[in-house]
Amino acid sequence: MAAPGFWDDQEKAKGITQRRAALNSPLEKLDDLDQELGDIEILVELAEEEDDRETAGEAERAARKLEKSIAQEEMARLLSGPNDRGSAILTINSGAGGTESNDWVEMLLRMYLRWAEAHEYKNTILEINPGEEAGIKSVTVTVEGENAYGYLRSEIGIHRLVRISPFDASGRRHTSFASVFLYPDVDDEIDIVIDDKDLRIDTYRASGHGGQHVNKTDSAVRITHLPTGIVVQCQNEKSQHRNKDMAMRVLRSRLYEHEQAKRQEEIDKLHATKKDISWGSQIRSYVLQPYRLAKDVRTGVEKGNVDAVLDGDLDDFIQAYLVEMARDHGVA
């Protein structure tokens, strides 16, 4: 970055600075944690020397905060997917249960917004489809910030709520379902880089109608992109140079389309994880009646303080899921 002319190529410079920031981020966080630890050690020494309860309390509060920060970094260490470090687009849809499920969607939306706020993520509701009587049928929200997608991957699936219905005059217990799904929030602009060594360029004599219109030079151009097998050709221009330029233009368009198709294939793979929004397919249950418990079916993690969970306390569930995934892939 200190080299002369670094900023002459803005696009290249932007990519390098972004890469540098990504590499620096964990190092800076480690330095911050080390500094906090040093500050706590000084507070502890002062508290012991002066027998100062107030300073001891300050050290204890700082230690709890540091412990939470370390747990967050340990959780981030488990992220390994191609989109894990980026932002996310979260969608929630109501399932079996009508108005009950619509209200459940609204509760889940609040839960995720509170979780995101606690982690200092920026949220933007992109689309919201309200229910006829109450609640929300579906909602889409962006969660912008580092690692948002990696953490929220743990929430993909069916969420089940059991409670006494506020919409039932008889006070009966109801079960509601909602589905949560996640998309990586990727940049729409795809930078197509074409390496000359990946191209095979052939020239040939353009076909014509015969007679004086037959092209007597090899002006037509055929370009094969070897990694993808995409073939483009142009023979409309009289100049080989112009035909090559036009063929390259077509190739860029074809490669852009190819990248879009690959991206859609990845999204389709993610969609394959979806199940019916009903009985027997939930990843987590939130029971408010007859007992109070939030339990993750996949990891077995349970939390008795359901109110805290519905208020955004999800990190135990997220960390357990990431550990499970990392173990399955031989990382943890």
Side-chain angles (χ1 to χ4, degrees):
M1 290 177 64
F6 173 78
W7 294 102
D8 291 348
D9 187 337
Q10 293 288 326
E11 285 302 312
K12 183 179 179 181
K14 180 181 176 182
I16 292 174
T17 53
Q18 288 176 342
R19 177 63 176 157
R20 178 181 181 273
L23 291 171
N24 268 343
S25 179
L27 298 176
E28 290 172 352
K29 288 175 181 175
L30 185 59
D31 287 340
D32 291 342
L33 294 175
D34 190 50
Q35 180 64 50
E36 289 179 36
L37 178 60
D39 293 343
I40 292 169
E41 289 173 343
I42 292 173
L43 286 174
V44 170
E45 289 176 7
L46 288 173
E48 290 177 344
E49 288 175 4
E50 304 293 333
D51 193 21
D52 187 342
R53 289 181 177 274
E54 186 176 340
T55 302
E58 184 181 348
E60 186 178 353
R61 288 190 295 273
R64 283 199 296 266
K65 180 183 175 184
L66 177 60
E67 187 176 20
K68 185 176 179 181
S69 297
I70 291 173
Q72 196 72 32
E73 291 309 305
E74 287 178 339
M75 198 158 64
R77 182 183 63 85
L78 299 171
L79 302 179
S80 59
N83 300 302
D84 281 356
R85 299 289 175 179
S87 300
I89 299 174
L90 181 78
T91 64
I92 313 173
N93 294 283
S94 64
T99 301
E100 294 289 339
S101 290
N102 292 344
D103 189 53
W104 179 217
V105 169
E106 190 164 7
M107 292 170 66
L108 285 172
L109 173 62
R110 178 183 179 276
M111 181 180 77
Y112 290 123
L113 291 180
R114 294 299 297 271
W115 175 85
E117 288 166 7
H119 291 77
E120 299 182 349
Y121 288 128
K122 179 183 176 183
N123 312 302
T124 305
I125 294 178
L126 301 179
E127 174 269 336
I128 191 165
N129 182 17
E132 286 86 357
E133 298 179 25
I136 300 169
K137 286 184 178 179
S138 64
V139 62
T140 301
V141 57
T142 60
V143 183
E144 299 176 53
E146 186 180 13
N147 301 331
Y149 181 83
Y151 293 150
L152 288 173
R153 268 197 303 121
S154 64
E155 302 305 296
I156 297 174
I158 311 304
H159 295 248
R160 170 178 172 255
L161 173 70
V162 181
R163 64 171 175 173
I164 300 295
S165 170
F167 305 100
D168 189 333
S170 302
R172 290 174 296 184
R173 192 166 68 242
H174 284 248
T175 300
S176 308
F177 297 91
S179 70
V180 174
F181 195 66
L182 202 67
Y183 300 86
D185 187 8
V186 293
D187 192 341
D188 288 335
E189 294 183 7
I190 299 178
D191 184 18
I192 300 298
V193 178
I194 303 176
D195 196 325
D196 289 343
K197 66 180 177 59
D198 291 335
L199 302 178
R200 186 178 71 232
I201 302 176
D202 301 305
T203 59
Y204 59 98
R205 186 163 299 179
S207 60
H209 299 291
Q212 62 180 351
H213 299 292
V214 174
N215 195 329
K216 296 180 173 59
T217 62
D218 293 340
S219 61
V221 175
R222 180 187 298 111
I223 300 177
T224 304
H225 187 251
L226 299 176
T228 61
I230 293 174
V231 179
V232 297
Q233 53 192 15
C234 184
Q235 61 178 25
N236 294 336
E237 303 292 337
K238 293 181 180 179
S239 160
Q240 183 185 109
H241 181 73
R242 291 287 302 276
N243 277 330
K244 181 181 177 182
D245 287 345
M246 288 298 296
M248 286 297 293
R249 181 176 172 182
V250 174
L251 178 61
R252 288 190 183 91
S253 297
R254 291 282 302 277
L255 287 173
Y256 178 87
E257 183 183 20
H258 180 72
E259 287 299 319
Q260 291 288 70
K262 280 172 58 180
R263 179 177 295 177
Q264 186 59 51
E265 184 179 349
E266 290 300 316
I267 295 296
D268 291 342
K269 286 180 182 177
L270 292 174
H271 272 295
T273 64
K274 287 186 175 180
K275 297 181 179 180
D276 291 336
I277 314 175
S278 59
W279 285 98
S281 56
Q282 67 268 9
I283 63 162
R284 191 178 302 146
S285 292
Y286 309 72
V287 181
L288 304 182
Q289 185 69 28
Y291 53 89
R292 301 181 70 80
L293 183 71
K295 179 176 181 179
D296 196 287
V297 177
R298 302 159 301 176
T299 62
V301 170
E302 299 180 355
K303 293 181 75 73
N305 190 348
V306 190
D307 292 332
V309 173
L310 293 174
D311 209 29
D313 184 11
L314 299 173
D315 284 353
D316 288 344
F317 294 118
I318 292 172
Q319 185 164 16
Y321 174 82
L322 292 176
V323 168
E324 191 91 2
M325 293 299 100
R327 187 178 294 116
D328 289 345
H329 291 86
V331 176

